[in-house]
Amino acid sequence: MDLLQILVNGLSVGAVYGLFALGYTLVFSVLGVINFAHGAVFTLGAYFTYLLIGGAVGANGLLAGFQLPVALPFWGALPLAGLGAALVALLVERVAFRPLRRRRADPLLALITSLGAGVILVNLIQLLVGAESYAIPTGALGGLPASFPLLGARVRTVQALLLGVAVLLLALLTLWLEGSRNGKGLQAVAEDPETAQLLGIDSTAMVRLAFGLSGFLAGVAGGLVGLSVSIAGPYFGIGYGLKGLAVLVLGGLGSVPGAVLGGLIVGLAEAFVPADWSGWKDAVSYGFLFLVLLLRPRGLLGRPLPTKV
């Protein structure tokens, strides 16, 4: 495989990992808790995308044979799938996190309830659409070629699109965080929620905003991955959830730039694993994480975070 193709593959996968890990980061920043339902929301984003482009449900599940009457192009389906995933993430916040936060419960309880919410969502997916695999056809991209020449090499169009969309979203999110009032409010709550409340910032609204953005990013990432490698059943988000956690820890808990950097590093590390050793990709990723944390326990760009109350 050409070096350029390897780099594009690694960067595209890494950028999607970064998108996924950013969802973890946003919620962790404002609550100090990892949302284990994030992988299930990612899975829902992939299924929403599949259904919105006109995909039909298989023979298993309560929705067997279901198909929307109107099929959208992939570029229309992807943002709508992200919005649908955002609504599910807000529901998870309302049911699994907010009651415990009001009671000032131990953060460990919120972690456990999010894990339970994730299991419920995955089982609902299986109940509704079955456990079979689904593929988002590349034809939904509007007749784009399967590959194109670049600097003397052939680059897969799907991988280039994954990289482009992910980089665009990462850039827009960074600009929004640094340049908008709500973005600065979210950062203030992440730094110190009590002081932010005294300054007139609605901490509860910022928590909802973090969950909504987290769900949107997870949904878009799920749609992109579904386009690239297909949807391997309701549990396929679990593997990406674990990889997202690795990226989160590698970059540094609570660090937005760290999530992006960690995702790119993990994606490139996996891309350079030879095809004959493809089964060792996860070992390479987690081995690299282990080595980095031995040298820098807070991650590459991590810093101490205030205790959330």
Side-chain angles (χ1 to χ4, degrees):
M1 183 181 291
D2 294 319
L3 177 61
L4 180 59
Q5 178 67 73
I6 293 175
L7 289 174
V8 171
N9 289 347
L11 290 174
S12 61
V13 172
V16 173
Y17 285 161
L19 275 182
F20 192 90
L22 271 178
Y24 277 132
T25 298
L26 290 171
V27 172
F28 184 86
S29 295
V30 296
L31 290 181
V33 174
I34 293 175
N35 176 20
F36 277 110
H38 194 58
V41 176
F42 167 90
T43 303
L44 279 170
Y47 279 98
F48 287 159
T49 305
Y50 172 77
L51 291 173
L52 287 168
I53 65 168
V57 178
N60 300 316
L62 296 180
L63 297 179
F66 174 79
Q67 186 176 20
L68 292 175
V70 178
L72 298 176
F74 180 77
W75 303 115
L78 188 64
L80 289 179
L83 290 175
L87 292 176
V88 174
L90 288 171
L91 178 63
V92 170
E93 186 275 331
R94 178 65 181 85
V95 174
F97 285 87
R98 194 181 307 177
L100 295 175
R101 192 167 70 253
R102 286 176 175 173
R103 296 182 176 90
R104 297 180 178 271
D106 191 294
L108 179 61
L109 296 179
L111 185 149
I112 293 172
T113 57
S114 72
L115 181 61
V119 172
I120 290 172
L121 288 175
V122 168
N123 279 272
L124 280 176
I125 294 171
Q126 184 167 346
L127 178 67
L128 293 173
V129 301
E132 58 199 279
S133 299
Y134 294 91
I136 298 176
T138 54
L141 294 174
L144 291 176
S147 63
F148 60 91
L150 180 64
L151 300 178
R154 299 294 299 184
V155 176
R156 290 179 60 207
T157 301
V158 170
Q159 299 305 106
L161 290 175
L162 258 66
L163 177 58
V165 172
V167 169
L168 177 62
L169 287 177
L170 292 172
L172 290 176
L173 179 63
T174 301
L175 291 173
W176 178 81
L177 285 172
E178 299 297 331
S180 71
R181 183 174 181 180
N182 282 336
K184 292 183 181 297
L186 192 63
Q187 292 183 69
V189 172
E191 288 288 338
D192 191 331
E194 290 186 343
T195 301
Q197 192 80 33
L198 293 174
L199 293 174
I201 299 173
D202 188 344
S203 297
T204 300
M206 291 298 104
V207 170
R208 288 198 297 267
L209 180 60
F211 270 89
L213 285 173
S214 170
F216 180 82
L217 294 175
V220 170
L224 291 172
V225 171
L227 175 67
S228 177
V229 299
S230 79
I231 307 167
Y235 293 91
F236 97 113
I238 294 177
Y240 285 92
L242 293 175
K243 195 63 64 65
L245 282 174
V247 169
L248 173 69
V249 175
L250 175 62
L253 294 174
S255 172
V256 170
V260 177
L261 178 61
L264 294 177
I265 289 174
V266 170
L268 286 171
E270 290 184 355
F272 278 96
V273 175
D276 294 340
W277 291 18
S278 59
W280 290 86
K281 284 187 176 182
D282 288 343
V284 169
S285 301
Y286 291 111
F288 184 77
L289 170 66
F290 177 74
L291 291 176
V292 169
L293 293 182
L294 284 179
L295 300 174
R296 191 173 176 83
R298 292 173 184 165
L300 295 173
L301 300 179
R303 57 182 175 79
L305 293 175
T307 302
K308 307 300 179 197
V309 295

